[in-house]
Amino acid sequence: MTGVWAAPGRVNIIGEHTDYNGGLSLPIAIPQRVLCTLTARQDAAIHVASQQHGQNWIGLPLDRLADSDIGGWARYPFGVAHEFLKRGHNIGGMDLRLDGNVPVGAGLSSSAAVECAVAVAIRDTFAPGVSDFELIDITHRAENDFVGAPTGVLDQSASMLCTAGHALILDAATGVHADVPFDLAAARLELVVIDTGTPHDHATGEYATRRRQCEEAAHLLGVHSLGALTDASAVDLLTDPVLRARARHVATENARVREVVAILRAGSDPRSIGPILTRGHISLSEDFAVSTAQLDAAAASAREAGAYGARMTGGGFGGSVIALADAGSSAQIGKAVAQRFSAHGWTGPQVFVVEPSDGARRVR
């Protein structure tokens, strides 16, 4: 018994570092995806292999997953299987072969794409009663608890729930979500991704530090999470300038998500969201301090080359910038960014165009 499932990466249009703060975000799924071929085994073991990591098989008995200290890429699919078992789902032995084209370390959620492709494959093969919403929780818990990356629920939600031609408005506090029209082609626009080639790793310290700072700020302000703030001026009560800046980003970013959604739902020209994206980048760079010199340079160069707005996407500390521009602009934007990178002696960026795509599903 063999099948093939796919799950996409994502870019976040606006709403960064808000999900673990119980706030709002607006991602799209992208055409780049991870494929998972699942073949059932007769024994109670799980074997994983990746086209991008040497194609060598790594195997474990299912009942040894909890004790496994295997690191690297294999920990993501093992973590998903472990989470199914923890919840009492009767899954059998399997071979999982992974392949895909979501750039790793680019802030486009390659890890969530792996997790969701594996999760839908296991669900459809062994546990068909599991809902998409439980799959989001399974994959999120696998990343948090098994892998040890303290991320929010945005990436898995986008990979599971997004639909072509739309962005997804997601309220992380309640799980409430809805499609928002985002037909770039109809508006003669394109969304350009600029992968700066500076990889990040959310399983290491700085991401966790930002999360702790947000929790401390929320405690001092007397709210259960910063997403509950309805008035951004409330952050002025914080005397610590770092905590005040972190909280200000979350409060103003939630407002930016609402502003972008209102524009898109009203059918206004999507070009008008460009300056909001730019304000989001400035907030991430100055208040949340998760940008880098390369991300700042890429965003600035894209705007100078004609983009209506540009911002880093993903958790930061490396990764990618997105730029909203007229259709056919990616070459001139890529050239402008490459020239600036060359002047600094940095490795040249990878530039490509994405469009709002469908979420995880079986493909064969």
Side-chain angles (χ1 to χ4, degrees), residues 133-332:
F133 299 103
E134 186 176 356
L135 283 191
I136 291 168
D137 192 52
I138 284 172
T139 51
H140 180 228
R141 292 265 60 89
E143 180 146 340
N144 281 191
D145 301 340
F146 198 83
V147 176
T151 57
V153 74
L154 163 65
D155 297 348
Q156 293 83 5
S157 298
S159 191
M160 287 297 304
L161 300 175
C162 281
T163 61
H166 298 82
L168 182 81
I169 175 66
L170 174 68
D171 185 338
T174 63
V176 172
H177 64 279
D179 285 341
V180 177
F182 196 52
D183 189 345
L184 296 173
R188 299 185 299 281
L189 291 170
E190 64 187 19
L191 194 65
V192 183
V193 175
I194 305 158
D195 178 0
T196 66
T198 50
H200 64 173
D201 183 355
H202 286 165
T204 56
E206 284 298 323
Y207 192 100
T209 297
R210 295 300 180 282
R211 187 161 184 162
R212 287 194 300 271
Q213 289 168 338
C214 289
E215 290 168 353
E216 183 178 355
H219 174 73
L220 291 171
L221 290 170
V223 293
H224 59 83
S225 66
L226 292 177
L229 294 176
T230 56
D231 181 0
S233 66
V235 306
D236 293 335
L237 296 172
L238 294 166
T239 58
D240 183 304
V242 172
L243 296 183
R244 186 165 62 248
R246 304 294 186 257
R248 181 169 54 239
H249 166 73
V250 175
T252 58
E253 186 79 343
N254 274 324
R256 284 185 286 272
V257 175
R258 294 187 182 95
E259 190 176 358
V260 168
V261 169
I263 290 170
L264 296 178
R265 282 180 168 165
S268 302
D269 187 342
R271 290 167 178 80
S272 60
I273 74 171
I276 307 171
L277 306 189
T278 299
R279 294 204 307 270
H281 181 83
I282 293 169
S283 180
L284 286 161
S285 181
E286 297 181 358
D287 279 345
F288 221 67
V290 294
S291 189
T292 64
Q294 289 91 336
L295 291 169
D296 288 345
S301 295
R303 293 192 297 269
E304 291 165 5
Y308 295 101
R311 61 178 288 273
M312 55 155 280
T313 189
F317 312 108
S320 298
V321 161
I322 56 170
L324 183 68
D326 288 326
S329 298
S330 61
Q332 69 188 41

Side-chain angles (χ1 to χ4, degrees), residues 298-363:
S301 295
R303 293 192 297 269
E304 291 165 5
Y308 295 101
R311 61 178 288 273
M312 55 155 280
T313 189
F317 312 108
S320 298
V321 161
I322 56 170
L324 183 68
D326 288 326
S329 298
S330 61
Q332 69 188 41
I333 289 173
K335 181 179 179 181
V337 177
Q339 287 175 342
R340 181 168 295 192
F341 274 38
S342 178
H344 285 282
W346 299 333
T347 301
Q350 299 296 313
V351 178
F352 51 95
V353 175
V354 298
E355 59 187 15
S357 302
D358 282 323
R361 64 200 185 280
R362 184 168 186 164
V363 294

